[in-house]
Amino acid sequence: MDEQNDAIDPQGFQGDDDGQPSVNVITQYVKDLSFENPNAPGVYQIPGQPKLDVQFNIGAAQVGDGVNEVVLKIEARAEIDGQVMYLVDLSFAGLFALRNIPEEHLQPFLLGEAPRILFPFARRVLADAVRDGGFPPLMLEPIDFAQLYVSQANGQGAIGEVAGHA
């Protein structure tokens, strides 16, 4: 059991400093999940294809010495004939231990690469929540977070958060 704890202990990670840049995913987790089905059971009777709106947001914060939390927030809303089918709101987070990362690479990693690492797991949680709500699973297409970060950084200068529309 102690070996398992050492594997995620940022102090153990930082104690082995050989000067090389390194990144470790300490853990990833559902920080917040909400699913609403406000018009059930009537919404299940309406035939047709729903209109889907998906928004996402990325935030990063230092939570310890060399440890950063990255939160990928995904909000999805499905409507059919003016009625809300479902609303789902997911905040999926990861803790990343960073060592010897040059300052100019820190923000691109936290807002570009870290969300790419988290996304497949967040997508599965979202799909399962929608399926468990009685609807076909919502399968989001992969998102190029690095390109999104670059395009927003070029348009806004330094940024602390990335937001987008899927």
Side-chain angles (χ1 to χ4, degrees):
M1 188 60 104
D2 287 338
E3 286 178 24
Q4 213 173 20
N5 289 341
D6 288 342
I8 62 170
D9 179 15
Q11 294 303 324
F13 172 73
Q14 292 173 357
D16 188 24
D17 189 0
D18 60 3
Q20 294 295 313
S22 62
V23 173
N24 271 5
V25 178
I26 298 170
T27 191
Q28 46 189 309
Y29 50 94
V30 174
K31 190 166 183 148
D32 186 34
L33 175 62
S34 170
F35 181 88
E36 296 177 38
N37 189 351
N39 292 307
V43 75
Y44 295 110
Q45 313 281 315
I46 303 171
Q49 201 64 332
K51 177 184 161 214
L52 191 60
D53 179 39
V54 179
Q55 309 249 340
F56 60 93
N57 203 353
I58 302 161
Q62 187 168 0
V63 295
D65 188 25
V67 178
N68 289 269
E69 180 188 53
V70 176
V71 180
L72 175 59
K73 183 173 174 70
I74 305 171
E75 297 173 356
R77 177 186 182 102
E79 291 185 8
I80 192 162
D81 287 345
Q83 288 194 39
V84 175
M85 293 177 72
Y86 62 82
L87 303 162
V88 62
D89 185 357
L90 170 65
S91 292
F92 193 83
L95 289 179
F96 295 86
L98 308 173
R99 185 180 62 201
N100 301 323
I101 305 295
E103 188 64 35
E104 67 271 14
H105 296 294
L106 193 57
Q107 204 171 35
F109 174 81
L110 293 173
L111 299 177
E113 183 62 17
R116 183 195 66 79
I117 294 167
L118 297 174
F119 182 73
F121 303 98
R123 179 173 66 176
R124 184 194 55 78
V125 170
L126 191 72
D128 288 351
V130 171
R131 184 201 63 221
D132 292 347
F135 300 98
L138 174 60
M139 296 304 297
L140 297 176
E141 293 294 320
I143 298 169
D144 187 348
F145 291 102
Q147 182 58 44
L148 179 62
Y149 171 79
V150 168
S151 65
Q152 288 204 355
N154 288 340
Q156 298 176 349
I159 58 175
E161 202 171 80
V162 175
H165 220 18

